[in-house]
Amino acid sequence: MSEKSWMDYKMKNDNMQSVKAEKNAEILSAQASKLSSEFEKRLAHLSELSSYLNISDVTDDPNEYLTLVFKELYSYGNKFNFHSELLSENKRTVSEGLNSLYDFDRAVLAENVVKKWEEANGEAMDIMLLLNGSEFSGGRISYVKNRYSDKAFDILSPCVDDSKFLYAQNFQSVCEDITHGFSEYGILPLSDMHGGIETVNRLLSVYELKICAVCDIITQDDNTTRFALVSDRLCVNLEAENRYFSFSFNSEEPYKMRSVLYAAELYGLSLYGMKVTPSYSGSSNYKFTFRENSGDLVALFVYLKLFLPQFLINGIYFEI
């Protein structure tokens, strides 16, 4: 190729690259303008929403306050004609109108709801009142006797004042003892190196038992089994650090899983475990366990109360 031909080729190529660069700049500028516009719309949307959540009397009962906020959100959904139906007394139904809120908007809104209540009452929102939980009390602990569960009893029983043991024939008998009042607590193997123990997890669901505390026991071949202290009451240790919060819900909408993960991350909680169980009906069961770390557990609970009121608490517990 002659020097002149090479110069012509280089000039043509430079011109093409310049045109491409200008075109890309135009596209990026248009996208930036669009994103800026969308962000402004989101801010306006939140501002508009706040005006519809103008609750004049902020009650000192956090659960009553959240009920008022929930009703306001329902009214908001109807006002903007989202074509959804919600009976306020039916806590297992969520207005489709709330789906118009972005994940970020929902998470920030829940935080603001907490702040508004705390500013009005001059105190932190009490996790114990929100959960309708109770502190540990004395009582009997039922469990299936073997050398590993005996070790778990030695570690977990100090949580219970004046604890006494009651031997059970099998895991279901442990649950039956608690349900019928023969014991206040039970000890069950929750998971091993292969994951969750399905039989136990199913029993916890059927008998609606809550996890209160956990410990890890070394078994054969240096494997580890996690044992749980369970009860039919939600027992919360307010002094424990780095607690676990486990809950589940059923939904036909997979995006709700993403929304929960986003909110928890925003509140500074870390995901410890997650399980999705599909069903033939089209609805899936989502089970989450988050570690509190130094995150805002109250904000996440308020978020769930407002946007997933059908959720069920599996436990708020600590590790010994």
Side-chain angles (χ1 to χ4, degrees), residues 39-284:
F39 186 71
E40 291 296 329
K41 289 179 181 178
R42 287 176 66 185
L43 292 179
H45 179 79
L46 278 178
S47 176
E48 188 175 27
L49 175 59
S50 298
S51 67
Y52 286 103
L53 297 181
N54 184 21
I55 300 172
S56 56
D57 297 325
V58 179
T59 171
D60 59 359
D61 184 340
N63 284 302
E64 184 180 342
Y65 173 61
L66 292 181
T67 299
L68 293 174
V69 174
F70 183 84
K71 290 180 178 178
E72 285 291 312
L73 286 172
Y74 163 57
S75 300
Y76 167 79
N78 283 344
K79 186 173 184 65
F80 285 87
N81 297 319
F82 290 128
H83 308 292
S84 60
E85 183 176 357
L86 172 68
L87 299 177
S88 59
E89 66 271 19
N90 185 356
K91 295 296 184 180
R92 293 185 175 274
T93 308
V94 182
S95 171
E96 289 300 321
L98 302 183
N99 293 344
S100 66
L101 295 174
Y102 291 89
D103 293 341
F104 175 80
D105 297 342
R106 297 184 187 191
V108 171
L109 178 62
E111 267 189 324
N112 289 338
V113 165
V114 175
K115 290 177 182 177
K116 182 176 181 180
W117 186 90
E118 292 180 341
E119 289 172 357
N121 289 277
E123 60 180 355
M125 191 174 278
D126 190 344
I127 188 69
M128 190 71 85
L129 288 176
L130 284 173
L131 295 172
N132 292 319
S134 61
E135 296 185 15
F136 287 87
S137 59
R140 288 160 297 202
I141 302 175
S142 178
Y143 69 95
V144 179
K145 180 175 175 56
N146 59 55
R147 58 175 173 166
Y148 302 124
S149 56
D150 282 341
K151 291 180 181 179
F153 176 84
D154 292 339
I155 295 173
L156 295 171
S157 59
C159 297
V160 180
D161 294 334
D162 300 323
S163 61
K164 299 178 178 62
F165 60 82
L166 177 66
Y167 294 142
Q169 292 183 342
N170 50 50
F171 296 153
Q172 184 170 353
S173 297
V174 172
C175 301
E176 292 282 351
D177 286 345
I178 299 172
T179 301
H180 295 300
F182 298 121
S183 63
E184 287 68 37
Y185 301 90
I187 292 177
L188 294 168
L190 193 63
S191 62
D192 56 22
M193 61 176 295
H194 303 292
I197 299 174
E198 290 302 321
T199 302
V200 172
N201 283 301
R202 181 180 59 81
L203 288 172
L204 292 179
S205 177
V206 170
Y207 288 92
E208 298 183 354
L209 300 180
K210 314 299 183 186
I211 303 172
C212 305
V214 296
C215 70
D216 293 331
I217 301 297
I218 304 297
T219 57
Q220 294 178 339
D221 301 325
D222 290 330
N223 294 324
T224 301
T225 296
R226 170 157 287 195
F227 283 83
L229 180 70
V230 301
S231 177
D232 57 355
R233 297 178 296 112
L234 188 63
C235 300
V236 182
N237 187 328
L238 297 176
E239 297 179 358
E241 297 181 356
N242 209 11
R243 292 171 296 192
Y244 296 83
F245 178 38
S246 179
F247 61 91
S248 58
F249 61 89
N250 294 318
S251 177
E252 297 180 357
E253 301 162 303
Y255 82 87
K256 290 184 177 179
M257 176 180 69
R258 178 205 68 207
S259 299
V260 169
L261 291 171
Y262 182 91
E265 183 179 5
L266 187 68
Y267 301 148
L269 304 170
S270 60
L271 181 65
Y272 178 77
M274 181 179 72
K275 183 179 181 181
V276 181
T277 307
S279 68
Y280 293 109
S281 65
S283 176
S284 295

